[in-house]
């Protein structure tokens, strides 16, 4: 009974991602009829809810924010693949480039255990299996009293010139 994200495909279908235990991805047709529900076992006791993006064809990509995981779900509601990121990584936002050949995920990489530090990062995701092709540090941690603030990437957008723009949470 919680919705965290809503997206649409080029046919006007709506996709919602949310819930609690477990998180759920649901697809609705343009008339509002539920077409399918997908669950993969993520729940609020072990994961923070990440985000959702849907390509024009209707394939969905959902993340667990922490510990970083990403799952691709096809237009019929079946899992295509799932991939776990690093145990110190987090996935909070996603964007495709203009022709949907590249998926970028914004998030965090924590370092400095046990004294938490880290940085905002963007991850280039392999569309065939969900693995990280590469990642780039885009912001430094802000020093704080006990735990340094990692400045995680929370919002991300692609531009027609090939650049990506992002906002960090500090």
């Amino acid at each position: 009974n919680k919705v965290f994200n809503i997206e649409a495909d080029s046919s006007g279908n709506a996709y919602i991602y949310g819930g609690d235990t477990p998180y759920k991805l649901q697809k609705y047709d343009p008339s509002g009829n539920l077409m399918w529900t997908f669950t993969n076992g993520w729940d609020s006791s072990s994961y923070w809810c990440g985000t959702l993006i849907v390509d024009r064809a209707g394939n969905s990509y959902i993340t667990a924010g922490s510990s970083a995981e990403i799952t691709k779900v096809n237009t019929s509601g079946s899992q295509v693949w799932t991939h776990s990121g690093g145990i110190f990584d987090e996935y909070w936002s996603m964007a495709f480039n203009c022709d949907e050949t590249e998926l970028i995920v914004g998030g965090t990489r924590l370092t400095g255990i046990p004294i938490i530090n880290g940085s905002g990062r963007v991850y280039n995701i392999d569309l065939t299996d969900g693995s990280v092709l590469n990642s780039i540090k885009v912001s430094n941690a802000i020093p704080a009293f006990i735990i340094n603030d990692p400045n995680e990437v929370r919002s991300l957008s692609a531009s027609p010139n090939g650049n990506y723009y992002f906002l960090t949470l500090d």
Side-chain angles (χ1 to χ4, degrees):
N1 56 1
K2 299 174 189 170
V3 175
F4 295 105
N5 303 99
I6 185 166
E7 293 283 334
D9 62 21
S10 61
S11 299
N13 297 302
Y15 300 77
I16 63 168
Y17 180 45
D20 191 10
T21 304
Y23 296 127
K24 297 177 183 177
L25 172 65
Q26 294 181 316
K27 178 180 179 179
Y28 292 84
D29 68 19
S31 298
N33 299 306
L34 177 63
M35 299 179 72
W36 50 255
T37 299
F38 172 81
T39 59
N40 65 356
W42 300 338
D43 63 58
S44 61
S45 67
S46 301
Y47 299 91
W48 289 0
C49 191
T51 191
L52 159 71
I53 195 168
V54 177
D55 65 22
R56 289 184 286 270
N59 296 294
S60 305
Y61 300 81
I62 55 174
T63 68
S66 65
S67 303
E69 294 193 25
I70 185 168
T71 297
K72 179 180 181 179
V73 179
N74 67 18
T75 59
S76 301
S78 298
Q79 180 176 301
V80 177
W81 49 252
T82 192
H83 192 274
S84 295
I87 61 169
F88 298 111
D89 292 344
E90 299 176 344
Y91 293 164
W92 298 119
S93 57
M94 292 187 279
F96 284 110
N97 64 346
C98 292
D99 64 2
E100 295 185 341
T101 59
E102 187 171 66
L103 177 61
I104 301 297
V105 175
T108 312
R109 175 160 295 157
L110 300 175
T111 58
I113 307 301
I115 299 173
I116 303 297
N117 201 351
S119 59
R121 293 190 85 78
V122 291
Y123 304 87
N124 186 354
I125 302 297
D126 187 330
L127 290 169
T128 62
D129 65 7
S131 63
V132 175
L133 295 169
N134 57 53
S135 69
I136 300 169
K137 178 179 174 180
V138 295
S139 63
N140 290 319
I142 298 172
F145 178 66
I146 297 174
I147 296 173
N148 290 331
D149 186 342
N151 248 356
E152 54 202 20
V153 176
R154 283 298 186 125
S155 183
L156 182 66
S157 179
S159 71
N161 67 3
N163 291 330
Y164 290 90
Y165 297 92
F166 57 90
L167 299 174
T168 60
L169 170 70
D170 65 358

